[in-house]
Amino acid sequence: MSAPRLRVVRGPSLDDPVTALAGVSDIYEARLEKIGVRTLRDLLLLFPRKHEDFSRVTPIGSIRPGMKTTVRGWIYHIAARETRYKRMKLAEATVSDDSGKLNVVWFNQPFLANQLHEGDEIFLAGEVELNGGLVMKNPDYEKASGDPKHAARLVPIYPETEKLTSRWLRPKIQSLLRYADELEEFMPGELLARRGFLSRAAAVRQVHFPESAQALERARERLAFEEMFVLQLAAQLAKRARKALTAQPIPFDETTARGFVKALPFTLTNAQRVAAWQILQDIARPQPMNRLLEGDVGSGKTVVAAMAMHHVARAGFQSVLLAPTEVLARQHADVIQSLLGPFQVDVGLLVGSTPAAARKPMLASLAEGHLPVLIGTHALIEEGVQYKDLALTVVDEQHRFGVGQRLAVRQKGERTPHFLSMTATPIPRTLGLTLFGDLDISILGEMPAGRLPVKTSLVPPEKRADAYNFIRQQVTAGRQVFVICPLIQESDKLGVRSATQELEKLQRDVFPELASRIALLHGRLKSAEKEAVMAGFQRGEVAILVSTSVVEVGIDIPNATVMMIEGADRFGLAQLHQFRGRVGRGTAESWCLLFTDAEDPQALKRLQAVVTNKSGFDLAEIDLELRGWGDLAGYRQHGKDFKMASLLDAVLISDAQNEAVRLLDRDPALDGEPALRRQLSAYRQVFALD
Ligand code: ADP
Ligand code: MG
């Protein structure tokens, strides 16, 4: 097989569409487009997922069953036939070399009998099996040459989607390798030399068709590094830009801090104390804070934020707290009101359903500076709320906000407000450093004292009735229960159907005696209806709350002791852990019951990890390893996916960060690195560098 040639006469440009390559039809153009490959450059940068090592060529006389190897021989005989049973079409061949003979069979590719001919010298790459005699089934094949693509080398395996096979991609990409020199080298020459990295062109060539395992390793190193380096550079630039902004300093006041802590109905955990201290120090500076407060559900983030808001109010400035949903905004307003009320700090609540009559005076008093604390949903941002002196913005569960929205919050006002985001999504430390390189992070790594761990079990199908009995006992004892349903059908985006079916099942078949105390929460309900359901649950009238995952159940119900999760295998581990955190908030013992029909050992292993692991951080890392980072909610919105770099590679991350700092110290505006500046533009949106 000869490599397809470029059709273009004037000499190819990597900006040409993929159809400039011979053998790329409109159909394939469309398939490539689906995975984001439009130009020859894109195709050249479509890296293999891994390689199969078929570099060893074994004489037929020496092959053994179970070996994965390449064989080089002559076709002695080849023919197509159809099996008698099942009428399967086969191509069968006998291949020989000086040392012996081997049988080969290809299923469903009878045309091979016409493509390959008796007397052809070929490579076969595959696994040797014992079936009567030694046989290779469906091996990769090609005419023997000094420049093989599918055998007798480290063979690239591409992400096979959208009907694009590695076999189809290999010759196309190989024919492009000679244009790799046209790829722009954007890494600083000094860095490349000092770290002994391959050039970009060499790395790209070697990552597709490596000369050796060592060459492949060096190529991967270089490509992973450049990816992480550009990201870290963008983060560092954002951080420096932020340092150049001015913010209202809120001087630390010991009396204010002590007074707040003293009035609390509990003592702060050490982690809360440290986080609060870090935040109060940050906001005392004339540059805007940019801090992420990370802590498991129930670790007590709200009170830490409230402490900062109290400080800001005492200094005569305003704060705003944004929650992802109305239900949560209300809960925050209640809690913060009760914390700040004793200090005569007023708290306003502004949500979508706030009537105009209440809204007007509130907006007026914000603009005049009479209202020091405002809490609400993102509807607030769209409102164009005017503050007199906004000094602090707090965002709860910020990953649910789009980048644009985050910025809108940040940029309000003349001085840049200090910015605190809170999340219960346990972001592994390395991931945090990577994605939020321009953020400082505080972690609440411990729970308030006296919390009992939630007992978690994976309930096998035959124990379902027992589990229902247990739930009945809990309800009889006055406790409350969450039931979470997964989204089963794609069409059922808001989970209306799955939750409704679950409700009917529970009311009719399982707990008929409790039917009137079972309520339903899903994404189709109007916000007033959601509020009513949640209020009923909060008052204890509703004993069992059936909900979809799309509905925020982040509300604090200390009396809820059972979290039952249907179809648990459909959720990410971090998400399951978050659900679990909804119970165990009071002093009573609580349970999390995971139900699944999955039999796949991998799925069961993941769920078992939730049973045995109490830490959301550990679970997030396990999930990242098992399923990749796409499943950690919200990270993809950062707009960048990694091809090479591992987000768990702490050494890579810190090396890249150090190099980024070093370069910027030397050349803060990257004047000497125009190519690198162009490369960075992909990140401008993510970090708002403009
Ligand atoms: P989250 O981090 O999930 O937002 P919250 O701020 O809602 O957690 O706190 C969960 C519950 O724990 C609240 O009822 C809060 O009053 C309580 N709490 C917070 N800090 C402490 C503490 N140090 N000791 C005891 N209870 C606490
Ligand atoms: Mg919270």
Side-chain angles (χ1 to χ4, degrees), residues 492-675:
D492 189 21
K493 283 211 167 65
L494 296 170
V496 180
R497 201 173 316 149
S498 85
T500 308
Q501 281 168 3
E502 182 72 21
L503 176 85
E504 283 169 6
K505 185 181 92 183
L506 294 180
Q507 285 183 327
R508 202 180 46 214
D509 308 332
V510 186
F511 304 116
E513 74 281 12
L514 292 171
S516 64
R517 296 187 61 207
I518 307 180
L520 178 66
L521 199 61
H522 61 61
R524 191 49 61 68
L525 297 182
K526 297 208 175 63
S527 76
E529 294 170 316
K530 282 186 213 161
E531 300 289 328
V533 171
M534 284 315 302
F537 195 51
Q538 224 156 10
R539 285 194 301 267
E541 294 157 13
V542 171
I544 301 180
L545 183 68
V546 179
S547 172
T548 58
S549 61
V550 293
V551 170
E552 179 52 54
V553 287
I555 194 135
D556 210 10
I557 311 274
N559 191 44
T561 53
V562 182
M563 168 59 63
M564 164 173 167
I565 302 170
E566 290 284 356
D569 53 293
R570 289 165 184 270
F571 296 106
L573 301 189
Q575 202 181 2
L576 289 173
H577 181 69
Q578 299 234 34
F579 292 141
R580 172 166 63 186
R582 303 303 174 206
V583 294
R585 303 199 133 203
T587 44
E589 183 149 53
S590 345
W591 291 265
C592 175
L593 308 177
L594 306 172
F595 288 78
T596 178
D597 298 328
E599 285 167 7
D600 169 25
Q602 179 80 348
L604 295 175
K605 189 177 145 199
R606 288 178 58 243
L607 294 179
Q608 204 56 48
V610 181
V611 173
T612 46
N613 268 286
K614 302 281 171 263
S615 148
F617 288 86
D618 294 349
L619 287 172
E621 285 200 4
I622 293 170
D623 226 8
L624 198 61
E625 268 162 36
L626 294 178
R627 299 212 304 181
W629 74 311
D631 286 303
L632 287 169
Y635 296 154
R636 257 180 216 284
Q637 82 185 25
H638 290 273
K640 268 287 161 187
D641 211 342
F642 290 89
K643 291 180 178 178
M644 286 283 153
S646 162
L647 291 164
L648 292 175
D649 187 342
V651 176
L652 172 67
I653 294 168
S654 96
D655 279 1
Q657 198 167 53
N658 291 339
E659 289 290 0
V661 168
R662 183 173 173 150
L663 175 62
L664 289 175
D665 285 346
R666 177 159 54 85
D667 184 359
L670 299 178
D671 291 327
E673 306 288 347

Side-chain angles (χ1 to χ4, degrees), residues 266-269 272 296-302 448 451 556 585:
F266 44 71
T267 34
L268 291 177
T269 64
Q272 284 172 318
D296 253 2
V297 190
S299 58
K301 296 182 288 292
T302 317
R451 291 266 167 84
D556 210 10
R585 303 199 133 203

